[in-house]
Amino acid sequence: MRKITNIRVGKFKKAIGVLSGTSVDAVDIVLAGIKGSGNSLKVDVIDYAEYKIPQAVRKFVLETSAAGKGTVDDVCRLNFLLGNLYASKINKFLQDRKIRNSEIDFIGSHGQTIHHLPAGEKKFGYSVKSTLQVGDPSVIANQTGILTVGDFRTADVAAGGGGAPLVPYLDYILFRSGSADRILLNIGGISNITYLKKNCSLKDVIAFDTGPGNMMIDYLASKYFGRSYDKDCRIAKRGKVSAELVYAILKKDGYYDSKPPKSTGRELYGKEFVESVLKKFPKIRKEEAVATFTFYTAFTIIENIKKFVRPRGKFELLVSGGGSKNNVILDYLKTEFREAAVKELDYKGINSSNKEAVLFAVLANETLNGAPSNVTSVTGANKNVILGKICPV
């Protein structure tokens, strides 16, 4: 077994960050060089790749994640299936680059969220918040021969937090500025923002999930057109926004205007949400539906920024995630926030595609250094905690 202490003392570590996001479209893998911890942390992106998830596997994930649909048998199988999938893609990533697995110090893996219930409820006398990510890190460690850190959300939930979002720690360490207010917006399956006021401290950070990202748009692109997503917004651009449908979505959605701290996921904005609204509009044009749900995603982002962040004057709005390629959403943002410099994230090798994978390499580094990396002002946790579980080889 490689000693954890040997990894900690290394001045420059090679780390892998891996995840499959809410959209379940690809396994994202980044190779990063990491030095230091906390405010002294330095990250260099060495390489990055995406590996498409087989459609049958994606379907299995989505079916298992659907509220009331996944069986305990399927959850159990999926935990090991995805662990093996991640490990095989990591091995391929390294083999293709002629890098020996022994050259990698550690892996940080988020896994796949299949259910997230951060609001909490009373069960048998206990107040229970819960979250579940599958793709067991022990499987990854043993299939790659590399120490793996995973299951990052659980510790924050155990400390009374919502377990999400996790990205504000990375945002604060790498992107805070002494000269500009910044909002970092990630549009994945779900959209989330981090607000970094000029010269802010960690306790000043504001961050939360705003609501839907690509999730509902991707579902409609698949349902109506057999596409995994609306490439270049070709579908949305052919449709008009339906005010009636917007109002129906607003009536259904009890999350977007709720106060932070808050986080959400597929359990709210999945297939069931979309279908429950659309059943009242049986004659709506397919393009009109896609255009309207695209508008709604932008609307929830805009409303959350205006209501809960309230930036004043000029600020930078740095966009990452798959939705950073959605020009319709970006145009809505530019129109609403004329004082902002709205642009796709590109900072020292960290870009809109690889940022989340970098996050999990960084969180694993902090775990191995014994450093807490949850942001209590964001998650609502009652204390700072060390995130993740260490799975040695």
Side-chain angles (χ1 to χ4, degrees):
M1 182 182 77
R2 183 181 299 178
K3 292 183 179 179
I4 297 171
T5 52
N6 289 342
I7 295 173
R8 286 186 188 175
V9 299
K11 292 184 178 180
F12 181 87
K13 294 152 284 188
K14 285 186 178 179
I16 292 283
V18 59
L19 80 150
S20 53
T22 316
S23 297
V24 204
D25 52 359
V27 177
D28 298 350
I29 298 175
V30 72
L31 173 61
I34 299 180
K35 183 178 180 181
S37 176
N39 288 328
S40 66
L41 183 114
K42 305 293 182 185
V43 181
D44 292 318
V45 173
I46 299 170
D47 210 341
Y48 172 76
E50 298 178 8
Y51 297 92
K52 189 173 179 62
I53 293 176
Q55 192 59 34
V57 175
R58 183 175 188 269
K59 182 180 179 183
F60 184 39
V61 173
L62 297 180
E63 289 174 346
T64 304
S65 303
K69 299 293 178 66
T71 66
V72 66
D73 306 61
D74 286 341
V75 172
C76 187
R77 294 187 185 101
L78 190 60
N79 190 32
F80 279 75
L81 169 64
L82 290 183
N84 279 284
L85 175 66
Y86 299 148
S88 68
K89 298 308 180 186
I90 291 168
N91 287 334
K92 177 174 173 52
F93 177 90
L94 295 173
Q95 289 165 8
D96 288 348
R97 289 154 181 79
K98 295 181 171 55
I99 299 172
R100 295 188 304 274
N101 288 36
S102 60
E103 295 179 52
I104 304 302
D105 289 290
F106 58 85
I107 295 167
S109 173
H110 174 254
Q112 177 67 53
T113 299
I114 61 169
H115 221 61
H116 186 62
L117 301 171
E121 57 183 290
K122 287 286 186 180
K123 281 285 186 183
F124 309 110
Y126 294 92
S127 180
V128 180
K129 293 183 176 184
S130 57
T131 187
L132 182 61
Q133 287 71 45
V134 297
D136 196 276
S138 289
V139 177
I140 300 171
N142 283 281
Q143 292 295 323
T144 62
I146 304 169
L147 182 147
T148 301
V149 185
D151 201 10
F152 291 100
R153 297 187 187 275
T154 306
D156 184 83
V157 175
L166 295 173
V167 74
Y169 182 81
L170 177 74
D171 289 339
Y172 172 76
I173 295 295
L174 297 183
F175 300 110
R176 69 188 187 279
S177 168
S179 59
D181 292 351
R182 284 178 175 164
I183 296 176
L184 290 105
L185 165 65
N186 182 73
I187 309 174
I190 295 295
S191 296
N192 57 71
I193 59 172
T194 302
Y195 177 47
L196 303 172
K197 193 172 182 178
K198 181 174 60 177
N199 293 317
C200 68
S201 65
L202 187 59
K203 65 181 177 59
D204 297 323
V205 174
I206 298 172
F208 51 90
D209 292 345
T210 60
N214 304 314
M215 184 182 298
M216 299 193 294
I217 305 167
D218 291 349
Y219 171 71
L220 292 173
S222 175
K223 171 185 171 71
Y224 291 139
F225 300 95
R227 303 176 188 176
S228 57
Y229 68 103
D230 184 11
K231 186 176 182 180
D232 299 325
C233 310
R234 293 171 188 169
I235 303 170
K237 289 177 179 177
R238 296 201 305 266
K240 292 183 178 180
V241 175
S242 164
E244 292 79 9
L245 181 54
V246 170
Y247 293 136
I249 303 171
L250 282 169
K251 188 175 181 181
K252 173 73 176 177
D253 189 358
Y255 175 86
Y256 87 94
D257 61 351
S258 60
K259 293 180 180 180
K262 59 179 180 176
S263 61
T264 189
R266 186 170 294 280
E267 65 280 350
L268 176 57
Y269 291 111
K271 172 183 176 181
E272 292 76 14
F273 182 99
V274 179
E275 291 295 347
S276 68
V277 176
L278 285 180
K279 69 181 180 181
K280 302 173 184 177
F281 298 84
K283 296 183 180 180
I284 194 167
R285 290 181 62 243
K286 298 173 182 179
E287 293 84 357
E288 191 175 355
V290 174
T292 302
F293 275 89
T294 301
F295 166 80
Y296 189 75
T297 291
F299 169 81
T300 55
I301 294 168
I302 291 166
E303 286 299 298
N304 273 270
I305 291 175
K306 290 168 64 176
K307 188 171 184 178
F308 301 119
V309 175
R310 297 187 290 274
R312 296 181 178 179
K314 295 181 179 180
F315 64 95
E316 296 178 6
L317 181 54
L318 307 179
V319 189
S320 60
S324 65
K325 310 296 183 184
N326 190 309
N327 290 328
V328 171
I329 292 177
L330 292 189
D331 285 346
Y332 284 131
L333 295 173
K334 290 174 183 177
T335 298
E336 187 65 35
F337 299 117
R338 296 189 182 277
E339 291 292 312
V342 181
K343 52 190 175 182
E344 192 173 342
L345 178 69
D346 188 3
Y347 177 83
K348 295 184 178 179
I350 301 174
N351 57 41
S352 61
S353 298
N354 65 32
K355 181 187 173 187
E356 282 195 290
V358 171
L359 166 66
F360 294 106
V362 167
L363 291 182
N365 177 76
E366 302 305 83
T367 301
L368 293 169
N369 277 280
S373 53
N374 65 326
V375 182
T376 57
S377 63
V378 167
T379 67
N382 54 42
K383 61 181 179 179
N384 292 113
V385 291
I386 299 169
L387 303 180
K389 296 170 183 174
I390 301 171
C391 300
V393 179

